[in-house]
Amino acid sequence: MKKLYTILAIAAVAAVGCSKTELADTPDVKIGFQVANYATQTKADAGGFLKELEDLGITENQAFKSNAYINADDGNGGHTFATFFEESIAWNATPKQWAPATKDYYWPKSPKSNIDFFSWYNYGVADPTLTYSGTDAKMAWTNVTIPAKADILFADIAFHQVKNTTSAAPYGKDGVTEGVPTLFHHALAQVKFTAKIKDDCYQIEDSKNTGNYHFWEVKLSNVAFAASKVHTNGTLTLTGADPDDSDAAASITPWTSAKWTNATSPAYVTDAWFQTPVALGTTALTETAANLIPDTYMGNGYIAVRPQTIGDDVTLGLTMTITHKYGTAIGSASPVSTETINVTVYAPTAPYTATGIQLNKIGSISAWEMNHKYTYNIIIDPSTNTILYDPAVEAWVEEPAATANIPQ
């Protein structure tokens, strides 16, 4: 379920009449940005970075962040390292270009100079801190709280960029033709929950009365992370280093380490995320899986979650109300019985505990990892088995024979 996003920094040659020919006829070349999307071969292409923002509901003031650092030719065979810009990169629809929001920037003239780019995007959280010495780099989101609607993207480091390169796969989306290739990765995970009745189990014909059926209506309530140990905050730290000195060729270098750790003061889920009609019990389950989390978060029933290990104490609690009816149609059938069952009654048999269903016991998912989506499908079989009888008769207890001698 991985989805990787890319950005491309492009240069637009100055318009005819505005180009300069000083410095050995090297024209001023403006640095801009455009964004493309990379999808793995097993997934359909979902569009560029604009699609990422539109999925979040951002259709205006679309932007991401980028810091650039120049290794400038010092005229003595070495370099002078300095911050080149720290900018918000905004979308301009007319030329289909991402460009620094405050002013234009241009590529350096000397073939000995180059620029290092660090780019990221986040929604729902504060910006990270970035430190870069020219060799070692660190970017960190420290003790951030992740809401159910959130997005964090970080890009591979674009080292030693000197010019635009022609776009090639996986780049070239959103109309881009050339630029500095920068690959974005999702830093969060997404999780969704669905529920349904097992196929062909909500209605069973009475074998003794053709045309009459047993119906089971199932409604849920109290759906929540029970006694929650789902972390909502933490620290994401990225560390990396220039793979070579500042004279090396341009490269796209992944961060050496990208890891989430628990916050200084851990916080856990308390929000009532499960708010669809099915989760609230106002709508009964059907044979079609229904989302338990509204689309108003990440869309299609997903919520954003902080990547973390799923321990035995991460449990989903829920209550089922099962109404058994009998008749020719479910709308006119007469109730036979109603049971309200909390899943905790099945404890201590795994995956059930005193707080709910252990998520790490209902599949092979032991962690929610970065750049992954997870779906938990809850399937309820309300009909179970037809009631039958297994008759037996206790054996007779034979008493010793009694003999009486009648006097003759």
Side-chain angles (χ1 to χ4, degrees), residues 316-372:
L316 180 73
L318 62 88
T319 298
M320 303 173 290
T321 298
I322 302 176
T323 301
H324 176 198
K325 298 180 179 181
Y326 183 81
T328 57
I330 191 169
S332 59
S334 299
V336 176
S337 65
T338 298
E339 296 178 278
T340 299
I341 306 167
N342 191 310
V343 294
T344 59
V345 301
Y346 300 116
T349 303
Y352 305 101
T353 72
T355 59
I357 306 168
Q358 293 175 306
L359 296 185
N360 63 354
K361 294 294 195 300
I362 61 175
S364 59
I365 302 170
S366 60
W368 294 334
E369 298 180 0
M370 290 191 293
N371 210 36
H372 286 65

Side-chain angles (χ1 to χ4, degrees), residues 77-102:
H79 293 92
T80 299
F81 173 79
T83 299
F84 192 64
F85 65 65
E86 298 178 353
E87 278 284 358
S88 177
I89 310 302
W91 172 248
N92 187 329
T94 301
K96 296 185 180 298
Q97 186 179 58
W98 297 89
T102 63

